[in-house]
mmCIF file of all heavy atoms in Angstrom:
data_model
loop_
_atom_site.group_PDB
_atom_site.id
_atom_site.type_symbol
_atom_site.label_atom_id
_atom_site.label_comp_id
_atom_site.label_asym_id
_atom_site.label_seq_id
_atom_site.Cartn_x
_atom_site.Cartn_y
_atom_site.Cartn_z
ATOM 1 N N ARG A 876 -3.732 5.696 -17.098
ATOM 2 C CA ARG A 876 -2.660 5.455 -16.209
ATOM 3 C C ARG A 876 -2.974 4.721 -14.986
ATOM 4 O O ARG A 876 -4.072 4.900 -14.386
ATOM 5 C CB ARG A 876 -1.962 6.740 -15.813
ATOM 6 C CG ARG A 876 -1.359 7.430 -17.013
ATOM 7 C CD ARG A 876 -0.620 8.688 -16.594
ATOM 8 N NE ARG A 876 -1.660 9.568 -16.166
ATOM 9 C CZ ARG A 876 -1.373 10.519 -15.258
ATOM 10 N NH1 ARG A 876 -0.156 10.853 -14.770
ATOM 11 N NH2 ARG A 876 -2.332 11.444 -14.834
ATOM 12 N N GLN A 877 -2.135 3.857 -14.511
ATOM 13 C CA GLN A 877 -2.391 2.997 -13.325
ATOM 14 C C GLN A 877 -1.597 3.478 -12.095
ATOM 15 O O GLN A 877 -0.496 3.968 -12.235
ATOM 16 C CB GLN A 877 -2.039 1.515 -13.567
ATOM 17 C CG GLN A 877 -2.760 0.848 -14.686
ATOM 18 C CD GLN A 877 -2.190 -0.494 -15.042
ATOM 19 O OE1 GLN A 877 -1.067 -0.839 -14.673
ATOM 20 N NE2 GLN A 877 -3.078 -1.273 -15.703
ATOM 21 N N VAL A 878 -2.360 3.481 -11.055
ATOM 22 C CA VAL A 878 -1.614 3.920 -9.792
ATOM 23 C C VAL A 878 -1.392 2.623 -8.940
ATOM 24 O O VAL A 878 -2.298 1.800 -8.625
ATOM 25 C CB VAL A 878 -2.559 4.845 -8.873
ATOM 26 C CG1 VAL A 878 -1.907 5.090 -7.537
ATOM 27 C CG2 VAL A 878 -2.864 6.082 -9.599
ATOM 28 N N TRP A 879 -0.181 2.397 -8.601
ATOM 29 C CA TRP A 879 0.371 1.185 -7.955
ATOM 30 C C TRP A 879 0.728 1.423 -6.528
ATOM 31 O O TRP A 879 1.261 2.466 -6.238
ATOM 32 C CB TRP A 879 1.556 0.564 -8.719
ATOM 33 C CG TRP A 879 1.248 0.028 -10.064
ATOM 34 C CD1 TRP A 879 0.990 0.569 -11.229
ATOM 35 C CD2 TRP A 879 1.172 -1.405 -10.371
ATOM 36 N NE1 TRP A 879 0.670 -0.186 -12.192
ATOM 37 C CE2 TRP A 879 0.862 -1.535 -11.742
ATOM 38 C CE3 TRP A 879 1.329 -2.520 -9.636
ATOM 39 C CZ2 TRP A 879 0.663 -2.697 -12.363
ATOM 40 C CZ3 TRP A 879 1.121 -3.785 -10.190
ATOM 41 C CH2 TRP A 879 0.821 -3.881 -11.641
ATOM 42 N N VAL A 880 0.450 0.538 -5.695
ATOM 43 C CA VAL A 880 0.833 0.694 -4.275
ATOM 44 C C VAL A 880 1.454 -0.698 -3.752
ATOM 45 O O VAL A 880 1.181 -1.664 -4.366
ATOM 46 C CB VAL A 880 -0.342 1.057 -3.299
ATOM 47 C CG1 VAL A 880 -0.757 2.523 -3.662
ATOM 48 C CG2 VAL A 880 -1.464 0.106 -3.376
ATOM 49 N N LEU A 881 2.127 -0.585 -2.662
ATOM 50 C CA LEU A 881 2.704 -1.863 -2.171
ATOM 51 C C LEU A 881 1.608 -2.623 -1.339
ATOM 52 O O LEU A 881 0.761 -2.027 -0.794
ATOM 53 C CB LEU A 881 3.799 -1.489 -1.181
ATOM 54 C CG LEU A 881 5.164 -1.015 -1.731
ATOM 55 C CD1 LEU A 881 6.111 -0.580 -0.684
ATOM 56 C CD2 LEU A 881 5.842 -1.963 -2.555
ATOM 57 N N THR A 882 1.743 -3.952 -1.452
ATOM 58 C CA THR A 882 0.885 -4.735 -0.575
ATOM 59 C C THR A 882 1.409 -4.671 0.814
ATOM 60 O O THR A 882 2.505 -4.204 1.078
ATOM 61 C CB THR A 882 0.829 -6.147 -1.104
ATOM 62 O OG1 THR A 882 2.227 -6.696 -1.046
ATOM 63 C CG2 THR A 882 0.266 -6.336 -2.523
ATOM 64 N N ALA A 883 0.798 -5.338 1.774
ATOM 65 C CA ALA A 883 1.188 -5.408 3.143
ATOM 66 C C ALA A 883 2.568 -6.100 3.238
ATOM 67 O O ALA A 883 3.481 -5.628 3.951
ATOM 68 C CB ALA A 883 0.219 -6.115 4.010
ATOM 69 N N ARG A 884 2.697 -7.182 2.505
ATOM 70 C CA ARG A 884 4.014 -7.868 2.424
ATOM 71 C C ARG A 884 5.093 -7.004 1.906
ATOM 72 O O ARG A 884 6.200 -6.866 2.464
ATOM 73 C CB ARG A 884 3.811 -9.170 1.739
ATOM 74 C CG ARG A 884 5.190 -9.958 1.724
ATOM 75 C CD ARG A 884 5.056 -11.220 0.937
ATOM 76 N NE ARG A 884 6.254 -11.785 0.820
ATOM 77 C CZ ARG A 884 6.613 -12.917 0.141
ATOM 78 N NH1 ARG A 884 5.610 -13.405 -0.563
ATOM 79 N NH2 ARG A 884 7.787 -13.450 0.031
ATOM 80 N N GLY A 885 4.787 -6.325 0.791
ATOM 81 C CA GLY A 885 5.804 -5.398 0.168
ATOM 82 C C GLY A 885 6.215 -4.289 1.113
ATOM 83 O O GLY A 885 7.344 -3.890 1.098
ATOM 84 N N HIS A 886 5.197 -3.809 1.830
ATOM 85 C CA HIS A 886 5.496 -2.669 2.710
ATOM 86 C C HIS A 886 6.415 -3.085 3.774
ATOM 87 O O HIS A 886 7.335 -2.418 4.192
ATOM 88 C CB HIS A 886 4.157 -2.224 3.310
ATOM 89 C CG HIS A 886 4.196 -0.848 3.998
ATOM 90 N ND1 HIS A 886 4.466 -0.814 5.401
ATOM 91 C CD2 HIS A 886 4.241 0.344 3.590
ATOM 92 C CE1 HIS A 886 4.449 0.413 5.699
ATOM 93 N NE2 HIS A 886 4.318 1.251 4.647
ATOM 94 N N ARG A 887 6.130 -4.340 4.325
ATOM 95 C CA ARG A 887 7.035 -4.862 5.499
ATOM 96 C C ARG A 887 8.458 -5.020 4.892
ATOM 97 O O ARG A 887 9.449 -4.685 5.642
ATOM 98 C CB ARG A 887 6.549 -6.251 5.979
ATOM 99 C CG ARG A 887 5.339 -6.136 6.893
ATOM 100 C CD ARG A 887 5.012 -7.346 7.518
ATOM 101 N NE ARG A 887 4.831 -8.528 6.645
ATOM 102 C CZ ARG A 887 3.659 -8.797 6.067
ATOM 103 N NH1 ARG A 887 2.597 -8.042 6.319
ATOM 104 N NH2 ARG A 887 3.539 -9.866 5.332
ATOM 105 N N GLU A 888 8.530 -5.562 3.649
ATOM 106 C CA GLU A 888 9.910 -5.768 3.175
ATOM 107 C C GLU A 888 10.618 -4.543 2.816
ATOM 108 O O GLU A 888 11.838 -4.381 3.063
ATOM 109 C CB GLU A 888 9.803 -6.647 1.777
ATOM 110 C CG GLU A 888 9.276 -8.024 1.951
ATOM 111 C CD GLU A 888 10.286 -8.878 2.775
ATOM 112 O OE1 GLU A 888 11.517 -8.717 2.559
ATOM 113 O OE2 GLU A 888 9.899 -9.748 3.616
ATOM 114 N N ALA A 889 9.931 -3.513 2.350
ATOM 115 C CA ALA A 889 10.531 -2.160 1.981
ATOM 116 C C ALA A 889 11.007 -1.602 3.369
ATOM 117 O O ALA A 889 12.031 -0.856 3.289
ATOM 118 C CB ALA A 889 9.495 -1.323 1.363
ATOM 119 N N LYS A 890 10.274 -1.659 4.470
ATOM 120 C CA LYS A 890 10.775 -1.068 5.630
ATOM 121 C C LYS A 890 12.094 -1.650 6.245
ATOM 122 O O LYS A 890 12.673 -1.040 7.076
ATOM 123 C CB LYS A 890 9.663 -1.202 6.774
ATOM 124 C CG LYS A 890 8.453 -0.331 6.518
ATOM 125 C CD LYS A 890 7.486 -0.276 7.492
ATOM 126 C CE LYS A 890 7.959 0.604 8.619
ATOM 127 N NZ LYS A 890 7.644 1.872 8.886
ATOM 128 N N LYS A 891 12.378 -2.923 5.745
ATOM 129 C CA LYS A 891 13.647 -3.444 6.174
ATOM 130 C C LYS A 891 14.939 -2.933 5.472
ATOM 131 O O LYS A 891 16.038 -3.010 5.913
ATOM 132 C CB LYS A 891 13.664 -4.981 5.880
ATOM 133 C CG LYS A 891 12.656 -5.738 6.771
ATOM 134 C CD LYS A 891 12.712 -7.201 6.320
ATOM 135 C CE LYS A 891 11.533 -7.951 7.148
ATOM 136 N NZ LYS A 891 11.567 -9.399 6.578
ATOM 137 N N LEU A 892 14.761 -2.269 4.330
ATOM 138 C CA LEU A 892 15.670 -1.657 3.500
ATOM 139 C C LEU A 892 16.106 -0.306 4.023
ATOM 140 O O LEU A 892 15.330 0.408 4.634
ATOM 141 C CB LEU A 892 15.305 -1.506 2.037
ATOM 142 C CG LEU A 892 14.838 -2.784 1.343
ATOM 143 C CD1 LEU A 892 14.261 -2.460 0.017
ATOM 144 C CD2 LEU A 892 15.965 -3.738 1.188
ATOM 145 N N PRO A 893 17.381 0.087 3.887
ATOM 146 C CA PRO A 893 17.725 1.353 4.342
ATOM 147 C C PRO A 893 17.025 2.453 3.461
ATOM 148 O O PRO A 893 16.936 2.286 2.249
ATOM 149 C CB PRO A 893 19.243 1.474 4.099
ATOM 150 C CG PRO A 893 19.596 0.253 3.282
ATOM 151 C CD PRO A 893 18.438 -0.686 3.296
ATOM 152 N N GLU A 894 16.489 3.463 4.076
ATOM 153 C CA GLU A 894 15.783 4.580 3.385
ATOM 154 C C GLU A 894 16.800 5.533 2.703
ATOM 155 O O GLU A 894 17.651 5.938 3.283
ATOM 156 C CB GLU A 894 14.915 5.289 4.222
ATOM 157 C CG GLU A 894 13.789 4.500 4.843
ATOM 158 C CD GLU A 894 12.867 5.170 5.800
ATOM 159 O OE1 GLU A 894 12.829 6.476 5.660
ATOM 160 O OE2 GLU A 894 12.070 4.576 6.447
ATOM 161 N N PRO A 895 16.566 5.708 1.367
ATOM 162 C CA PRO A 895 17.399 6.775 0.802
ATOM 163 C C PRO A 895 17.258 8.191 1.408
ATOM 164 O O PRO A 895 16.196 8.455 1.922
ATOM 165 C CB PRO A 895 16.904 6.823 -0.612
ATOM 166 C CG PRO A 895 16.103 5.661 -0.846
ATOM 167 C CD PRO A 895 15.585 5.246 0.514
ATOM 168 N N LYS A 896 18.328 9.010 1.502
ATOM 169 C CA LYS A 896 18.164 10.239 2.129
ATOM 170 C C LYS A 896 17.121 11.092 1.455
ATOM 171 O O LYS A 896 17.029 11.243 0.208
ATOM 172 C CB LYS A 896 19.594 10.913 1.976
ATOM 173 C CG LYS A 896 19.648 12.257 2.738
ATOM 174 C CD LYS A 896 20.971 12.822 2.646
ATOM 175 C CE LYS A 896 21.079 14.055 3.515
ATOM 176 N NZ LYS A 896 22.445 14.681 3.541
ATOM 177 N N GLY A 897 16.297 11.750 2.384
ATOM 178 C CA GLY A 897 15.233 12.548 1.843
ATOM 179 C C GLY A 897 13.977 11.842 1.297
ATOM 180 O O GLY A 897 13.054 12.442 0.880
ATOM 181 N N ILE A 898 13.968 10.457 1.386
ATOM 182 C CA ILE A 898 12.775 9.707 0.911
ATOM 183 C C ILE A 898 12.334 8.840 1.996
ATOM 184 O O ILE A 898 13.112 8.198 2.685
ATOM 185 C CB ILE A 898 13.048 8.908 -0.437
ATOM 186 C CG1 ILE A 898 13.463 9.846 -1.500
ATOM 187 C CG2 ILE A 898 11.864 8.009 -0.722
ATOM 188 C CD1 ILE A 898 13.940 9.136 -2.728
ATOM 189 N N ARG A 899 11.008 8.771 2.240
ATOM 190 C CA ARG A 899 10.499 7.834 3.372
ATOM 191 C C ARG A 899 9.420 7.031 2.827
ATOM 192 O O ARG A 899 8.774 7.348 1.752
ATOM 193 C CB ARG A 899 9.966 8.629 4.544
ATOM 194 C CG ARG A 899 8.793 9.529 4.173
ATOM 195 C CD ARG A 899 8.391 10.258 5.468
ATOM 196 N NE ARG A 899 7.210 11.068 5.235
ATOM 197 C CZ ARG A 899 6.004 10.628 5.128
ATOM 198 N NH1 ARG A 899 5.713 9.429 5.514
ATOM 199 N NH2 ARG A 899 5.003 11.441 4.914
ATOM 200 N N ILE A 900 9.234 5.878 3.362
ATOM 201 C CA ILE A 900 8.217 4.940 3.002
ATOM 202 C C ILE A 900 6.816 5.444 3.465
ATOM 203 O O ILE A 900 6.753 5.749 4.585
ATOM 204 C CB ILE A 900 8.505 3.504 3.550
ATOM 205 C CG1 ILE A 900 9.830 2.999 2.976
ATOM 206 C CG2 ILE A 900 7.328 2.498 3.097
ATOM 207 C CD1 ILE A 900 10.205 1.630 3.523
ATOM 208 N N SER A 901 5.849 5.465 2.621
ATOM 209 C CA SER A 901 4.509 5.989 3.021
ATOM 210 C C SER A 901 3.846 4.888 3.889
ATOM 211 O O SER A 901 4.222 3.766 3.916
ATOM 212 C CB SER A 901 3.676 6.321 1.713
ATOM 213 O OG SER A 901 3.458 5.167 0.986
ATOM 214 N N VAL A 902 2.847 5.333 4.522
ATOM 215 C CA VAL A 902 1.951 4.445 5.258
ATOM 216 C C VAL A 902 1.294 3.433 4.368
ATOM 217 O O VAL A 902 0.941 3.701 3.301
ATOM 218 C CB VAL A 902 0.964 5.239 6.234
ATOM 219 C CG1 VAL A 902 1.607 6.083 7.263
ATOM 220 C CG2 VAL A 902 0.066 5.992 5.389
ATOM 221 N N LEU A 903 1.031 2.331 5.089
ATOM 222 C CA LEU A 903 0.245 1.227 4.327
ATOM 223 C C LEU A 903 -1.144 1.680 4.153
ATOM 224 O O LEU A 903 -1.904 2.023 5.163
ATOM 225 C CB LEU A 903 0.365 -0.105 5.015
ATOM 226 C CG LEU A 903 -0.308 -1.282 4.471
ATOM 227 C CD1 LEU A 903 0.206 -1.597 3.173
ATOM 228 C CD2 LEU A 903 -0.171 -2.445 5.419
ATOM 229 N N ARG A 904 -1.687 1.577 2.929
ATOM 230 C CA ARG A 904 -3.092 1.856 2.677
ATOM 231 C C ARG A 904 -3.757 0.475 2.349
ATOM 232 O O ARG A 904 -3.523 -0.099 1.370
ATOM 233 C CB ARG A 904 -3.192 2.797 1.425
ATOM 234 C CG ARG A 904 -2.674 4.096 1.754
ATOM 235 C CD ARG A 904 -2.906 5.128 0.623
ATOM 236 N NE ARG A 904 -2.298 4.706 -0.622
ATOM 237 C CZ ARG A 904 -2.152 5.469 -1.588
ATOM 238 N NH1 ARG A 904 -2.578 6.670 -1.562
ATOM 239 N NH2 ARG A 904 -1.658 5.028 -2.801
ATOM 240 N N LYS A 905 -4.619 0.019 3.282
ATOM 241 C CA LYS A 905 -5.268 -1.173 3.108
ATOM 242 C C LYS A 905 -6.416 -1.122 2.292
ATOM 243 O O LYS A 905 -7.131 -0.135 2.177
ATOM 244 C CB LYS A 905 -5.652 -1.644 4.592
ATOM 245 C CG LYS A 905 -4.531 -1.842 5.552
ATOM 246 C CD LYS A 905 -5.190 -2.336 6.830
ATOM 247 C CE LYS A 905 -3.849 -2.602 7.852
ATOM 248 N NZ LYS A 905 -4.305 -3.111 9.103
ATOM 249 N N GLU A 906 -6.677 -2.246 1.615
ATOM 250 C CA GLU A 906 -7.821 -2.408 0.753
ATOM 251 C C GLU A 906 -9.162 -2.452 1.627
ATOM 252 O O GLU A 906 -9.189 -3.046 2.586
ATOM 253 C CB GLU A 906 -7.804 -3.629 -0.131
ATOM 254 C CG GLU A 906 -6.674 -3.583 -1.064
ATOM 255 C CD GLU A 906 -6.417 -4.946 -1.770
ATOM 256 O OE1 GLU A 906 -6.319 -5.985 -1.233
ATOM 257 O OE2 GLU A 906 -6.642 -4.883 -3.098
ATOM 258 N N GLU A 907 -10.127 -1.810 1.127
ATOM 259 C CA GLU A 907 -11.433 -1.711 1.843
ATOM 260 C C GLU A 907 -12.578 -2.175 0.906
ATOM 261 O O GLU A 907 -12.540 -1.731 -0.271
ATOM 262 C CB GLU A 907 -11.655 -0.388 2.382
ATOM 263 C CG GLU A 907 -10.713 0.201 3.375
ATOM 264 C CD GLU A 907 -11.126 1.631 3.797
ATOM 265 O OE1 GLU A 907 -12.095 2.167 3.506
ATOM 266 O OE2 GLU A 907 -10.299 2.054 4.665
ATOM 267 N N TYR A 908 -13.368 -3.050 1.336
ATOM 268 C CA TYR A 908 -14.367 -3.569 0.567
ATOM 269 C C TYR A 908 -15.838 -3.243 1.027
ATOM 270 O O TYR A 908 -15.988 -3.031 2.248
ATOM 271 C CB TYR A 908 -14.339 -5.100 0.497
ATOM 272 C CG TYR A 908 -13.048 -5.621 -0.113
ATOM 273 C CD1 TYR A 908 -11.887 -5.773 0.621
ATOM 274 C CD2 TYR A 908 -13.076 -5.914 -1.440
ATOM 275 C CE1 TYR A 908 -10.648 -6.238 -0.013
ATOM 276 C CE2 TYR A 908 -11.860 -6.331 -2.121
ATOM 277 C CZ TYR A 908 -10.716 -6.521 -1.308
ATOM 278 O OH TYR A 908 -9.543 -6.957 -1.923
ATOM 279 N N ASP A 909 -16.765 -2.983 0.070
ATOM 280 C CA ASP A 909 -18.160 -2.707 0.499
ATOM 281 C C ASP A 909 -18.725 -3.847 1.171
ATOM 282 O O ASP A 909 -18.638 -4.971 0.613
ATOM 283 C CB ASP A 909 -18.951 -2.328 -0.811
ATOM 284 C CG ASP A 909 -20.335 -1.910 -0.502
ATOM 285 O OD1 ASP A 909 -21.083 -2.749 0.061
ATOM 286 O OD2 ASP A 909 -20.678 -0.751 -0.776
ATOM 287 N N PRO A 910 -19.320 -3.676 2.340
ATOM 288 C CA PRO A 910 -19.897 -4.755 3.101
ATOM 289 C C PRO A 910 -21.123 -5.506 2.460
ATOM 290 O O PRO A 910 -21.326 -6.642 2.695
ATOM 291 C CB PRO A 910 -20.207 -4.197 4.465
ATOM 292 C CG PRO A 910 -20.362 -2.696 4.308
ATOM 293 C CD PRO A 910 -19.432 -2.379 3.078
ATOM 294 N N VAL A 911 -21.770 -4.679 1.629
ATOM 295 C CA VAL A 911 -22.963 -5.241 0.986
ATOM 296 C C VAL A 911 -22.608 -6.028 -0.361
ATOM 297 O O VAL A 911 -22.900 -7.234 -0.493
ATOM 298 C CB VAL A 911 -23.965 -4.150 0.768
ATOM 299 C CG1 VAL A 911 -25.187 -4.666 -0.058
ATOM 300 C CG2 VAL A 911 -24.393 -3.551 2.089
ATOM 301 N N THR A 912 -21.834 -5.279 -1.199
ATOM 302 C CA THR A 912 -21.553 -5.886 -2.518
ATOM 303 C C THR A 912 -20.227 -6.550 -2.545
ATOM 304 O O THR A 912 -20.063 -7.429 -3.459
ATOM 305 C CB THR A 912 -21.480 -4.702 -3.495
ATOM 306 O OG1 THR A 912 -20.395 -3.873 -3.277
ATOM 307 C CG2 THR A 912 -22.794 -3.923 -3.640
ATOM 308 N N GLY A 913 -19.325 -6.392 -1.556
ATOM 309 C CA GLY A 913 -18.047 -6.948 -1.618
ATOM 310 C C GLY A 913 -17.066 -6.366 -2.648
ATOM 311 O O GLY A 913 -15.918 -6.869 -2.734
ATOM 312 N N GLU A 914 -17.476 -5.250 -3.317
ATOM 313 C CA GLU A 914 -16.637 -4.541 -4.264
ATOM 314 C C GLU A 914 -15.555 -3.824 -3.631
ATOM 315 O O GLU A 914 -15.714 -3.309 -2.500
ATOM 316 C CB GLU A 914 -17.483 -3.734 -5.248
ATOM 317 C CG GLU A 914 -18.389 -4.447 -6.158
ATOM 318 C CD GLU A 914 -19.157 -3.537 -7.037
ATOM 319 O OE1 GLU A 914 -18.769 -2.357 -7.191
ATOM 320 O OE2 GLU A 914 -20.143 -3.913 -7.593
ATOM 321 N N LEU A 915 -14.447 -3.746 -4.194
ATOM 322 C CA LEU A 915 -13.240 -2.990 -3.738
ATOM 323 C C LEU A 915 -13.682 -1.475 -3.732
ATOM 324 O O LEU A 915 -14.226 -0.880 -4.795
ATOM 325 C CB LEU A 915 -12.018 -3.137 -4.533
ATOM 326 C CG LEU A 915 -10.760 -2.536 -4.126
ATOM 327 C CD1 LEU A 915 -10.437 -2.958 -2.751
ATOM 328 C CD2 LEU A 915 -9.692 -2.754 -5.120
ATOM 329 N N LEU A 916 -13.484 -0.912 -2.567
ATOM 330 C CA LEU A 916 -13.712 0.574 -2.513
ATOM 331 C C LEU A 916 -12.495 1.269 -2.661
ATOM 332 O O LEU A 916 -11.355 0.743 -2.639
ATOM 333 C CB LEU A 916 -14.307 0.945 -1.080
ATOM 334 C CG LEU A 916 -15.642 0.340 -0.717
ATOM 335 C CD1 LEU A 916 -16.036 0.606 0.711
ATOM 336 C CD2 LEU A 916 -16.689 0.805 -1.517
ATOM 337 N N GLY A 917 -12.519 2.617 -2.771
ATOM 338 C CA GLY A 917 -11.238 3.434 -2.733
ATOM 339 C C GLY A 917 -10.531 3.243 -1.423
ATOM 340 O O GLY A 917 -11.085 2.923 -0.402
ATOM 341 N N THR A 918 -9.226 3.309 -1.481
ATOM 342 C CA THR A 918 -8.512 3.137 -0.270
ATOM 343 C C THR A 918 -8.103 4.415 0.329
ATOM 344 O O THR A 918 -8.175 5.492 -0.236
ATOM 345 C CB THR A 918 -7.092 2.291 -0.548
ATOM 346 O OG1 THR A 918 -6.395 3.047 -1.570
ATOM 347 C CG2 THR A 918 -7.386 0.995 -1.033
ATOM 348 N N GLY A 919 -7.876 4.457 1.639
ATOM 349 C CA GLY A 919 -7.593 5.616 2.431
ATOM 350 C C GLY A 919 -6.232 5.897 2.704
ATOM 351 O O GLY A 919 -5.425 5.334 2.318
#
């Protein structure tokens, strides 16, 4: 199963929309890369 998240652009666009009652937009989780290998690390 894949876990999908919004990109920075998608997050900005979603914040412009009215929020449904009882649901909020989560904080943006930025991609982090290993400084040595350049591989994508887990996001925080």
Side-chain angles (χ1 to χ4, degrees):
R876 290 182 296 152
Q877 299 173 341
V878 177
W879 289 74
V880 295
L881 290 174
T882 60
R884 180 178 175 188
H886 193 265
R887 283 191 305 273
E888 293 294 320
K890 288 189 74 94
K891 294 178 186 177
L892 300 171
E894 294 182 14
K896 187 174 183 176
I898 298 174
R899 63 181 180 84
I900 297 173
S901 64
V902 297
L903 178 63
R904 296 187 299 194
K905 296 183 180 180
E906 293 177 301
E907 297 178 2
Y908 294 90
D909 185 294
V911 177
T912 66
E914 291 183 19
L915 182 63
L916 300 171
T918 54

